[in-house]
Amino acid sequence: MVLSIPREYFKAGRIASNVIDDTSRKVSVGDRILDICNEVEAMTKALGGEPAFPCNVGINSVTAHYTAEIDDESLIKNGDVVKIDFGVHVNGYIIDTAFTLSFNPDYDALVRATEEVLKEAISTIREGVRAGEIGRVVEDGAKKRGFQPISNLSGHLLQQYKIHGGVSIPNVWLASTPLLKANEVYAIEPFLTTLDGAGVVVDSSIRNIYSLISRKKTGDKRLDSLIDEIWRRFKTLPFTARWLIDIIDKNEVKSMLDRLTKMKALHAYSVLVEASQRVVAQFEHTLTPTENGVIVLTQNKQDMGDEVYE
Ligand code: MN
Ligand code: MN
């Protein structure tokens, strides 16, 4: 089998696997969200990668796009269901992965079902499978276990310095979807909730993850030099205020980012919540389809990544 994805993916995948392993063992009730995010990001760097986006911590119905604020005081509480979603890149080649920890026995089955559904979905992937067919496996797997998928969130193609590469992998069956290709890299990420939920996420008013969309001069010297620094550090990848407090006073950084958002130099991502405030679980792996199966880049803690699922 000739694999021609950049070798950086294997390095980033190994780093991510180690971070998953370490974080999933360590996180417990009473931990600060801020410490979890800082540790995931610091470990990524210590192992030779860069965070591809701020570590997301989603508690209960908070489903995606929440990262710790600069002085975030929130803690993991007994009864919480905690999603940790993070990215690792090496030279812009991105690994995107997530897992869920349940500190509430009422949701252990939801969390287990989500992990099983991801495994089932992965086992059906090979070169040429239709994205919508993966959605069907997720949807059927969720229903069979007494849950439902979040229908307006999906997996995605990954490209260099691009988290969403233009192809979506839905979590429900959809017609007229593209075929998955060998030597492309995809993130597969089922989100499941209970049957009494809406099964969709909606935007909340909280936004604390940003990405650069324009480098045009603003007319304000400080904002212009901030744009230059964002480009130098993150290119177009998502970032957060915590990542700029070494160069900007922490009392000022949020207002500067908000001004740049209003000027349309930055995009700000809304935190997504389940529309009926139901608990959501998520698991995510990054993989590349092959002729007979798939190489899961995020399940390679030790070796170089030649483990193939048949
Ligand atoms: Mn993803
Ligand atoms: Mn993710």
Side-chain angles (χ1 to χ4, degrees):
M1 184 180 64
V2 182
L3 247 186
S4 66
I5 62 168
R7 57 185 300 115
E8 284 94 334
Y9 277 119
F10 293 98
K11 180 175 177 185
R14 273 202 315 281
I15 294 167
S17 304
N18 280 285
V19 174
I20 297 169
D21 194 62
D22 190 72
T23 310
S24 61
R25 279 172 215 271
K26 277 203 304 216
V27 168
S28 57
V29 170
D31 287 355
R32 298 199 317 167
I33 290 180
L34 178 60
D35 294 332
I36 296 170
C37 291
N38 283 336
E39 278 169 34
V40 164
E41 294 159 7
M43 189 176 173
T44 297
K45 289 181 189 169
L47 294 175
E50 285 296 325
F53 53 84
C55 175
N56 287 209
V57 178
I59 312 268
N60 301 331
S61 62
V62 175
T63 305
H65 300 168
Y66 183 81
T67 192
E69 301 281 2
I70 292 167
D71 290 312
D72 207 312
E73 293 295 333
S74 43
L75 307 173
I76 307 290
K77 297 186 297 298
N78 198 23
D80 281 345
V81 173
V82 182
K83 294 168 288 300
I84 297 176
D85 187 330
F86 67 94
V88 177
H89 83 86
V90 174
N91 295 332
Y93 296 105
I94 301 162
I95 292 290
D96 185 2
T97 189
F99 60 91
T100 302
L101 299 171
S102 170
F103 301 103
N104 185 337
D106 292 347
Y107 293 99
D108 287 354
L110 170 69
V111 173
R112 209 169 33 239
T114 310
E115 189 169 22
E116 286 170 7
V117 161
L118 174 57
K119 269 197 194 131
E120 257 176 42
I122 289 173
S123 73
T124 65
I125 299 175
R126 63 186 59 230
E127 173 182 21
V129 74
R130 241 175 235 292
E133 287 301 327
I134 300 164
R136 187 205 298 274
V137 173
V138 170
E139 186 173 16
D140 289 351
K143 288 194 172 144
K144 197 171 76 189
R145 292 171 173 83
F147 299 105
Q148 63 173 329
I150 299 293
S151 60
N152 61 343
L153 287 175
S154 46
H156 46 96
L157 176 68
L158 290 150
Q159 290 177 322
Q160 193 179 20
Y161 288 108
K162 246 193 202 169
I163 295 172
H164 288 272
V167 175
S168 290
I169 321 289
N171 287 319
V172 291
W173 185 81
L174 272 185
S176 309
T177 52
L179 307 176
L180 268 60
K181 295 180 187 156
N183 298 315
E184 297 270 34
V185 175
Y186 302 88
I188 309 294
E189 50 181 317
F191 292 81
L192 267 53
T193 190
T194 47
L195 290 174
D196 59 351
V200 290
V201 288
V202 291
D203 288 357
S204 78
S205 57
I206 300 168
R207 301 194 291 177
N208 68 9
I209 297 175
Y210 306 83
S211 63
L212 188 62
I213 49 177
S214 166
R215 294 173 67 198
K216 271 190 233 146
K217 295 283 178 231
T218 63
D220 178 316
K221 271 202 176 115
R222 288 189 68 219
L223 292 180
D224 287 346
S225 74
L226 178 54
I227 289 174
D228 289 344
E229 190 59 20
I230 288 167
W231 172 251
R232 199 182 67 76
R233 291 187 180 194
F234 317 122
K235 302 283 184 281
T236 53
L237 291 174
F239 64 91
T240 189
R242 286 185 290 110
W243 291 2
L244 292 164
I245 53 175
D246 59 320
I247 48 163
I248 299 172
D249 187 288
K250 69 178 187 181
N251 298 308
E252 266 191 299
V253 59
K254 280 283 273 188
S255 68
M256 290 175 78
L257 297 178
D258 288 342
R259 284 174 64 198
L260 286 172
T261 304
K262 286 206 183 82
M263 293 170 166
K264 305 220 185 301
L266 299 181
H267 171 72
Y269 297 82
S270 294
V271 172
L272 303 175
V273 297
E274 208 283 329
S276 302
Q277 280 88 53
R278 294 304 187 271
V279 170
V280 177
Q282 172 206 17
F283 283 83
E284 178 175 25
H285 278 306
T286 294
L287 51 80
T288 185
T290 65
E291 222 179 316
N292 349 294
V294 53
I295 295 171
V296 182
L297 296 160
T298 32
Q299 288 178 332
N300 278 304
K301 216 164 65 107
Q302 313 296 343
D303 53 24
M304 264 310 283
D306 44 14
E307 187 187 336
V308 178
Y309 280 65
E310 304 280 5

